[in-house]
Amino acid sequence: LQDSITWLLEFVNGLVENLQADKELQEQLSGSNAKLLEDCRGLLGERMSELMQLAEDCLMILYLEIRVQCYYHLLIVLRKQDYKIDIVSSDPDSGVTLLNKFLSQLEEKVRDYLPLS
């Protein structure tokens, strides 16, 4: 959703810039039509700001969801296990395995949307 909103904002911004750069169109418009065009630009600017905020909110919600899921899985691990210093275990912890599975599935789902850095 965030990626689609960003694309839409770039597209609309390109249209607005083309309208501003088109001197021939601006010369043809009379006073009331020019004011109407300016009003439309202002409204588009406001809506673009709202859409940008929505895109940022989508990313924040995704970030918070990932954090909540990690805390959830880690709390399960800490509540179910009794960690003792003098006992050495080579068995993988089932809670950590579930957290790893969740993070791997999440990474597969969002891989196409993440930057390659």
Side-chain angles (χ1 to χ4, degrees):
L1 181 62
Q2 188 271 342
D3 203 30
S4 298
I5 292 173
T6 304
W7 174 86
L8 178 64
L9 288 174
E10 289 173 1
F11 180 77
V12 171
N13 193 31
L15 287 175
V16 170
E17 287 176 0
N18 286 342
L19 283 175
Q20 290 174 341
D22 192 352
K23 301 292 183 189
E24 184 178 318
L25 176 65
Q26 291 178 4
E27 290 173 1
Q28 291 176 355
L29 294 175
S30 64
S32 62
N33 289 338
K35 180 166 178 13
L36 179 64
L37 183 61
E38 283 301 317
D39 291 344
C40 287
R41 285 184 196 152
L43 288 173
L44 274 175
E46 290 174 17
R47 297 303 168 251
M48 287 172 51
S49 296
E50 290 173 5
L51 283 174
M52 183 54 80
Q53 184 62 44
L54 178 64
E56 290 171 1
D57 289 347
C58 288
L59 285 179
M60 179 57 77
I61 289 171
L62 180 61
Y63 170 76
L64 292 173
E65 175 66 22
I66 292 168
R67 286 184 66 122
V68 166
Q69 288 293 327
C70 288
Y71 285 127
Y72 170 76
H73 286 289
L74 290 173
L75 281 174
I76 290 173
V77 169
L78 293 175
R79 287 185 180 157
K80 288 186 177 181
Q81 298 299 324
D82 184 24
Y83 293 104
K84 296 182 180 175
I85 295 174
D86 57 343
I87 299 174
V88 177
S89 175
S90 61
D91 296 333
D93 191 304
S94 62
V96 174
T97 305
L98 285 174
L99 175 60
N100 187 33
K101 182 179 176 185
F102 164 74
L103 291 174
S104 297
Q105 289 173 347
L106 178 68
E107 193 269 336
E108 286 177 15
K109 290 177 184 176
V110 299
R111 180 182 299 147
D112 295 336
Y113 305 104
L114 295 174
L116 297 174
S117 57

